[in-house]
């Protein structure tokens, strides 16, 4: 009898019963495919790759590259160059050598490329009112600021935050470099990067830093009469490379990229092996010192580093390179809880590096090291004021100034913006409901404003210090 009732198909029978009752094992079996082998993963990966290629070919230009949309006079004068529309038009008319824009219809709105916007801004900065903020502040003679966005919790908005800040900073007139340290390569997709293998990622920079260290070590070994450790082929190849070899342009005229790809994950295995071979190699300095040595810190204004959802060697490198550390998290108990643990891990990781180094430094009478960040801020992302106000207030109460004052709202503009992975600054506002667009843009503009305030503050602090030191 009991068996009889079980045979019923749940989708058709037993009205009112929950869907997990009355599942017939034989009918379930008839739907089941063969067991999966290792090769099965390759098939699934291949299917994903084909789907991805299909999606990403949409919205690309003829060369199969991402193209940045145009910017209208309205948007330029509203968001990018602080002048009245009428004045903007007058200046263009009076200066026929300046970009004049193009319109889709006779007498319709004029549209400009970002390159043209940047040229126009430079013109207004040179000719326009001195009291206006045409070009963003960047103290002379000081290096670019590096900003790492990290949290070992996945899906908290690291990549979205880093990508949007990079775009905002670029729109604001800064020259930006984005470094993707996540082998998932999401940031690389957003910026349309092409990465064949680990040799087009940050990997060779780290390898070269190790190779340089090994050569110095070998010199000392030779001096002591010990046999040197040979550099293998891949280290020797890395010794020939500089940052310029791995930096690629993007569809944004003032954003460049060091991309990532699955093979970058290899670094997580390789770095500890190198470190075992040369205990004195300061792996955490690798990224900063290579970027510095190759002049990258003078070529850019702001460098954003996106990290994977793990506290591995790549993340440690990104974090120790950073001047500013941003830690995104949602206003939910689980994300708050996990972010607390992340800071716990940061503390023990960096404390143990300092301890190890300083033990040796004290023994040798050398100065001790201490990591320092200009600023560390947690940022609430995907915020829903109707549901999360109370929790956000609690987080604010406990974290105080460490929590950035602006909560980045949940917006339908992200994630759903068309077939491609796009930033909201890349979306054409005419494709959205005006209200949705304005609110989405507003919340990311405010995220950038809070960040820019921090950036200017830390730069200014350095500038004043430099001036005092020169006196
Ligand atoms: N403000 C927002 N409003 C709506 N959706 C958002 C917002 N910020 C991020 N998202 C969405 O949340 C998801 C996770 O975001 P994102 O990829 O930036 O997180 P992540 O921390 O980089 O993830 P991972 O740990 O995998 O690298 C994405 O689908 C993204 O589109
Ligand atoms: Mg990410």
């Amino acid at each position: 009898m009991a068996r009889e009732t079980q045979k019923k198909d749940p989708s058709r029978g037993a009205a009112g019963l929950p869907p997990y009752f009355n599942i017939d094992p034989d009918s379930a079996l008839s739907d089941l495919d063969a067991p999966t082998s290792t090769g099965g993963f390759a098939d699934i990966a291949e299917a994903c790759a084909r789907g991805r290629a299909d999606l990403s070919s949409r919205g690309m230009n003829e060369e199969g590259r991402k193209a940045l949309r145009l910017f209208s006079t309205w948007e330029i004068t509203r968001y990018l160059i602080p002048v009245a529309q009428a004045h903007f038009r007058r200046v263009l008319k009076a200066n026929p050598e300046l970009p004049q824009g193009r319109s889709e219809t006779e007498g319709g709105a004029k549209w400009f490329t970002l390159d043209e916007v940047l040229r126009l801004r430079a013109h207004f900065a040179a000719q326009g009112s001195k009291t206006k903020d045409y070009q963003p502040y960047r103290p002379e003679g000081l290096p670019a600021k590096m900003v790492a966005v990290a949290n070992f919790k996945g899906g908290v908005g690291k990549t979205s935050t880093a990508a949007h800040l990079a775009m905002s900073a670029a729109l604001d007139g800064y020259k930006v470099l984005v470094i993707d340290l996540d082998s998932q390569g999401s940031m690389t997709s957003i910026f349309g990067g092409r990465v064949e293998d680990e040799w087009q990622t940050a990997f060779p920079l780290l390898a070269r830093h190790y190779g340089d260290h090994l050569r110095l070590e070998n010199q000392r070994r030779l001096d002591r009469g010990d046999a040197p450790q040979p550099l293998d082929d891949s280290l020797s190849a890395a010794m020939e490379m500089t940052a310029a070899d791995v930096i690629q342009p993007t569809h944004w005229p003032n954003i460049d990229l060091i991309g990532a790809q699955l093979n970058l994950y290899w670094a997580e295995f390789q770095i500890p092996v190198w470190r075992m071979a040369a205990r004195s190699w300061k792996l955490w300095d690798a990224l900063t010192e290579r970027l510095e040595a190759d002049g990258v810190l003078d070529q850019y204004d702001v460098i954003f580093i996106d990290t994977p959802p793990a506290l591995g060697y790549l993340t440690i490198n990104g974090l120790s390179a950073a001047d500013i550390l941003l830690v995104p998290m949602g206003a939910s108990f689980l994300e708050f809880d996990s972010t607390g643990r992340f800071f716990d891990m940061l503390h023990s990781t960096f404390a143990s590096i300092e301890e190890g180094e300083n033990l040796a430094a004290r023994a040798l009478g050398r100065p001790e090291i201490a990591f320092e960040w200009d600023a560390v801020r947690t940022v609430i992302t995907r915020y829903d004021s109707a549901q999360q106000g109370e929790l956000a207030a609690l987080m604010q109460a406990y974290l105080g100034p460490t929590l950035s004052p602006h909560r980045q709202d949940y917006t339908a503009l992200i994630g759903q913006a068309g077939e491609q992975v796009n930033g909201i600054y890349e979306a054409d506002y005419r494709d959205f409901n005006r209200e949705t667009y304005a609110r989405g843009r507003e919340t990311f503009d405010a995220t950038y404003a809070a960040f820019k305030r921090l950036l200017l503050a830390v730069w200014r602090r350095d500038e004043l210090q430099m001036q005092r030191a020169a006196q």
Side-chain angles (χ1 to χ4, degrees):
M1 279 300 279
R3 210 135 173 94
E4 262 318 298
T5 42
Q6 260 182 20
K7 275 223 168 107
K8 272 195 196 151
D9 191 318
S11 54
R12 273 175 280 133
L17 266 185
Y20 43 81
F21 283 118
N22 295 342
I23 298 176
D24 173 44
D26 286 319
S27 106
L29 173 62
S30 67
D31 291 340
L32 186 65
D33 53 348
T36 302
S37 65
T38 311
F41 293 138
D43 297 340
I44 300 169
E46 209 258 325
C48 290
R50 271 186 285 126
R52 186 195 176 284
D54 176 12
L55 283 176
S56 61
S57 65
R58 304 180 192 182
M60 282 191 172
N61 63 13
E62 310 80 58
E63 295 102 62
R65 282 277 182 185
K66 263 191 156 180
L68 189 58
R69 68 183 174 91
L70 301 177
F71 296 79
S72 70
T73 304
W74 170 78
E75 192 180 4
I76 293 169
T77 54
R78 167 95 175 74
Y79 291 106
L80 306 176
I81 304 177
V83 294
Q85 275 197 46
H87 177 62
F88 181 83
R89 289 202 188 93
R90 261 199 311 277
V91 170
L92 256 55
K93 208 164 185 186
N95 297 275
E97 76 286 1
L98 286 177
Q100 298 293 315
R102 53 195 76 56
S103 43
E104 290 166 352
T105 52
E106 185 68 28
K110 287 271 200 278
W111 295 78
F112 300 79
T113 66
L114 184 54
D115 238 342
E116 292 172 337
V117 175
L118 297 176
R119 276 168 56 204
L120 290 169
R121 177 185 279 135
H123 175 85
F124 278 97
Q127 310 285 318
S129 154
K130 292 283 168 264
T131 57
K132 277 194 175 163
D133 205 6
Y134 292 114
Q135 301 280 16
Y137 166 78
R138 156 91 202 249
E140 239 169 84
L142 285 174
K145 281 292 176 194
M146 292 210 254
V147 185
V149 185
N151 192 337
F152 76 166
K153 177 118 182 105
V156 293
K158 292 181 287 296
T159 304
S160 307
T161 302
H164 284 93
L165 286 177
M167 292 175 192
S168 303
L171 290 173
D172 200 17
Y174 284 120
K175 187 144 175 44
V176 176
L177 176 67
V178 170
I179 304 179
D180 192 353
L181 291 184
D182 185 355
S183 54
Q184 295 179 88
S186 311
M187 194 66 151
T188 304
S189 296
I190 292 175
F191 286 106
R194 289 195 179 166
V195 182
E196 294 299 323
D197 56 27
E198 70 273 28
W199 291 96
Q200 291 167 12
T201 70
F203 178 78
L205 304 184
L206 308 181
R208 174 155 182 197
H209 189 266
Y210 174 69
D212 280 333
H213 175 81
L214 209 57
R215 280 193 177 161
L216 272 178
E217 273 269 304
N218 281 341
Q219 198 49 56
R220 278 188 219 115
R221 279 168 178 265
L222 284 171
D223 293 346
R224 285 198 307 261
D226 294 341
Q229 297 195 53
L231 270 67
D232 63 23
D233 287 352
S234 74
L235 281 177
S236 303
M239 299 306 282
E240 309 292 313
M241 293 180 68
T242 67
D245 296 316
V246 293
I247 292 177
Q248 52 178 309
T250 71
H251 58 301
W252 284 70
N254 51 349
I255 301 182
D256 289 343
L257 171 76
I258 298 182
Q261 186 253 21
L262 211 54
N263 291 7
L264 178 59
Y265 196 69
W266 170 244
E268 297 292 352
F269 299 98
Q270 185 62 75
I271 292 172
V273 172
W274 288 336
R275 172 85 170 154
M276 289 292 278
R279 283 299 223 185
S280 53
W281 176 46
K282 294 176 174 37
L283 67 93
W284 49 89
D285 284 340
L287 187 61
T288 341
E289 291 190 352
R290 281 318 312 165
L291 294 177
E292 211 172 350
D294 292 338
V296 175
L297 302 189
D298 302 321
Q299 289 157 22
Y300 296 89
D301 298 312
V302 197
I303 300 176
F304 290 97
I305 306 172
D306 189 30
T307 61
L311 188 51
Y313 291 105
L314 289 165
T315 305
I316 289 174
N317 245 294
L319 289 172
S320 44
D323 301 297
I324 296 175
L325 169 58
L326 300 179
V327 180
M329 63 173 159
S332 76
F333 175 79
L334 284 181
E335 291 186 34
F336 185 40
D337 184 37
S338 149
T339 301
R341 284 172 222 272
F342 177 60
F343 279 105
D344 234 350
M345 280 176 69
L346 288 182
H347 171 245
S348 50
T349 304
F350 286 101
S352 88
I353 297 176
E354 285 172 355
E355 227 166 84
E357 286 299 291
N358 292 337
L359 211 63
R362 277 194 292 273
L364 297 165
R366 291 209 192 116
E368 299 190 11
I369 63 155
F371 289 97
E372 191 180 80
W373 289 268
D374 284 338
V376 174
R377 291 287 179 277
T378 53
V379 183
I380 291 184
T381 56
R382 296 158 298 134
Y383 178 62
D384 172 3
S385 59
Q387 308 282 336
Q388 300 178 319
E390 205 174 324
L391 194 60
L394 181 137
M395 286 159 72
Q396 188 77 72
Y398 281 94
L399 287 169
T402 302
L403 184 68
S404 177
H406 172 70
R407 298 167 189 168
Q408 179 196 106
D409 288 324
Y410 183 91
T411 163
L413 288 188
I414 295 201
Q416 280 108 16
E419 302 97 357
Q420 285 242 16
V421 218
N422 275 330
I424 65 169
Y425 294 108
E426 297 185 319
D428 188 326
Y429 56 84
R430 293 168 299 178
D431 293 343
F432 294 91
N433 165 308
R434 197 173 259 271
E435 178 96 348
T436 312
Y437 180 83
R439 262 190 289 120
R441 175 149 193 166
E442 217 168 81
T443 198
F444 276 92
D445 282 351
T447 302
Y448 175 62
F451 165 76
K452 186 178 175 186
R453 197 178 164 79
L454 199 61
L455 174 72
L456 299 201
V458 300
W459 253 336
R460 183 70 180 142
R461 183 162 64 193
D462 292 352
E463 190 179 33
L464 291 175
Q465 235 160 41
M466 186 172 66
Q467 286 167 1
R468 270 197 298 272
Q471 271 166 17

